[in-house]
């Protein structure tokens, strides 16, 4: 992959940190959580309060939904963004929300702390260029039919516009397996760390589509070195207007977060032991920080 001028590995393996509202993505482990779609103020704010109490550091929620059917719920649009803004003011959590249209990037960017570009738009090159020009942090999901090289080249489009604030998110790909919604490709975690300096997050909610798989796949992602997770949580999943089968209840999310924290504590204790018993193997990787000027 020697055509990656900006997203490829840096000398000394320096890794990028994207700073968003005091959260250092790529350095601290971050869980982004929240509903698939913003449906109402009550649903969003109650979910936001619950995920913050459980330890999530950012709130997700779609106001523009890229749906398979044009007749399915498409999101609340501007009204949804205003609800997210209120949730941010009430909880202090930075907002991650999807943008689906080139024409919307700049004004959606005024509400979002992080703009998400979804799997279906990963190779929408004009959207990528606009996202780059906006200067906002971008969470770039892997396209469902994309290779690592194609994905990194899409990130390259954003960086080529002068925007270094890109976070990648593995969310599963289409394979012959239909039991899971997608095949979550956790091998992308070490692959991205080997080929690029960008942070790599994992979304096991869309990656599996099955509630009971979200915890084991998240723990596997943590063990494989993921920089963060994106998890769908809804105050009352059975009434959700989209993805009702994969959204966690807040009480289950709180239990889930404890397990993630326990595994992370175990891993960092073990790596501290290894570092203490040998030569500088446990030294933290060097980092370059890219802060959002508008924060
Ligand atoms: C989402 O996170 O809301 C979403 C639609 O995800 P993806 O683009 O990965 O399908
Ligand atoms: Mn969803």
């Amino acid at each position: 992959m020697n055509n990656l001028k900006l997203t490829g590995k840096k000398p000394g393996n320096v890794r990028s940190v994207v700073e968003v509202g005091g959260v250092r993505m790529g350095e601290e482990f971050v869980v982004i959580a929240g509903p698939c779609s913003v449906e109402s103020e009550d649903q969003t704010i109650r979910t936001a309060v619950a995920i913050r109490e459980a330890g999530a550091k950012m709130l997700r929620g779609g106001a523009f939904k890229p749906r398979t059917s044009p007749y399915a719920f498409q999101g609340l649009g501007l009204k949804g963004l205003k609800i997210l803004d209120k949730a941010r003011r009430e909880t202090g959590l930075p907002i991650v929300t999807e943008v689906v249209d080139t024409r919307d990037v700049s004004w959606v960017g005024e509400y979002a702390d992080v703009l998400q570009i979804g799997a279906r738009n990963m190779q929408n090159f004009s959207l990528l260029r606009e996202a780059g020009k906006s200067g906002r942090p971008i969470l770039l999901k892997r396209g469902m039919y994309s290779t690592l090289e194609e994905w990194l080249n899409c990130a390259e489009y954003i960086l080529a516009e002068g925007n270094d604030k890109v976070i990648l998110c593995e969310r599963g790909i289409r394979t012959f397996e239909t039991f899971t919604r997608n095949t979550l490709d956790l091998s992308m975690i070490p692959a991205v760390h080997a080929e690029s300096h960008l942070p790599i997050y994992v979304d096991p909610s869309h990656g599996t589509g099955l509630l009971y798989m979200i915890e084991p796949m998240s723990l596997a992602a943590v063990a494989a070195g993921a920089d963060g997770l994106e998890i769908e949580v809804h105050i009352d999943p059975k009434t959700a207007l989209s993805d009702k089968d994969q959204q966690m209840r807040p009480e289950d999310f709180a239990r889930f977060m404890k397990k993630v924290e326990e595994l992370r504590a175990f891993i960092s204790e073990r790596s501290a032991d290894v570092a203490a018993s040998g030569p500088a193997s446990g030294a933290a990787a060097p980092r370059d920080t890219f802060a959002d000027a508008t924060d």
Side-chain angles (χ1 to χ4, degrees):
M1 287 191 213
N2 45 20
N3 56 345
L4 298 172
K5 291 191 182 150
L6 301 169
T7 56
K9 210 166 160 171
K10 289 185 180 170
N13 203 14
V14 175
R15 305 260 301 276
S16 289
V17 176
V18 181
E19 196 173 343
V20 183
V23 177
R24 291 177 64 77
M25 304 176 84
E27 182 174 270
E28 54 182 308
F29 183 83
V30 172
V31 178
I32 304 166
C36 179
S37 301
V38 174
E39 298 166 3
S40 70
E41 187 173 311
D42 179 66
Q43 167 249 10
T44 304
I45 292 182
R46 282 169 62 209
T47 307
V49 168
I51 59 128
R52 187 195 55 188
E53 272 167 24
K57 299 213 178 94
M58 301 178 109
L59 174 67
R60 63 147 287 144
F64 294 93
K65 298 302 301 175
R67 304 303 299 282
T68 302
S69 162
Y71 311 116
F73 178 60
Q74 303 286 310
L76 296 180
L78 176 59
K79 187 173 169 212
L81 294 175
K82 289 187 171 160
I83 292 172
L84 287 169
D85 185 41
K86 188 157 188 203
R88 169 174 44 209
R89 279 186 273 119
E90 294 208 4
T91 61
L93 295 173
I95 301 299
V96 181
T97 196
E98 182 161 352
V99 62
V100 296
D101 192 313
T102 315
R103 294 164 296 185
D104 299 337
V105 172
S106 65
W107 70 269
V108 176
E110 286 169 24
Y111 289 88
D113 296 287
V114 175
L115 286 170
Q116 178 168 307
I117 294 189
R120 292 157 190 79
N121 268 317
M122 186 200 83
Q123 279 186 314
N124 180 339
F125 299 113
S126 24
L127 187 63
L128 296 171
R129 285 196 199 278
E130 275 315 300
K133 286 186 195 133
S134 77
R136 301 302 281 171
I138 308 294
L139 185 80
L140 179 63
K141 291 200 148 185
R142 181 182 183 186
M144 53 186 101
Y145 301 102
S146 305
T147 64
L148 172 63
E149 190 162 5
E150 287 162 342
W151 189 16
L152 289 175
N153 270 290
C154 289
E156 195 78 22
Y157 270 84
I158 302 171
L159 273 82
E161 296 296 332
N163 185 354
D164 291 308
K165 299 180 286 293
V166 175
I167 304 109
L168 300 170
C169 182
E170 161 63 34
R171 49 77 71 207
I173 49 173
R174 283 268 167 92
T175 66
F176 55 80
E177 181 57 79
T178 54
F179 183 72
T180 45
R181 182 174 177 182
N182 290 288
T183 297
L184 188 63
D185 183 5
L186 295 181
S187 67
M188 285 301 109
I189 302 164
V192 167
H193 284 159
E195 298 295 329
S196 175
H197 55 85
L198 298 175
I200 167 79
Y201 277 46
V202 173
D203 167 1
S205 303
H206 295 91
T208 66
L210 296 168
L211 257 184
Y212 73 91
M213 289 193 185
I214 293 171
E215 182 179 304
M217 296 312 279
S218 296
L219 296 176
V222 169
D227 295 304
L229 297 169
E230 186 177 36
I231 309 285
E232 284 191 342
V233 181
H234 192 289
I235 200 79
D236 185 16
K238 62 183 182 309
T239 65
L241 298 179
S242 57
D243 288 351
K244 61 158 65 116
D245 297 331
Q246 70 190 34
Q247 301 204 60
M248 268 191 198
R249 296 181 311 161
E251 55 272 36
D252 296 328
F253 179 70
R255 276 192 288 273
F256 159 85
M257 286 294 280
K258 286 208 174 81
K259 294 210 179 151
V260 168
E261 271 318 308
E262 271 168 26
L263 178 60
R264 291 197 54 251
F266 174 77
I267 291 170
S268 57
E269 241 170 65
R270 290 303 295 248
S271 34
D273 287 352
V274 171
S277 65
S281 57
R287 314 270 170 175
D288 266 348
T289 301
F290 301 101
D292 192 356
T294 52
D295 281 337

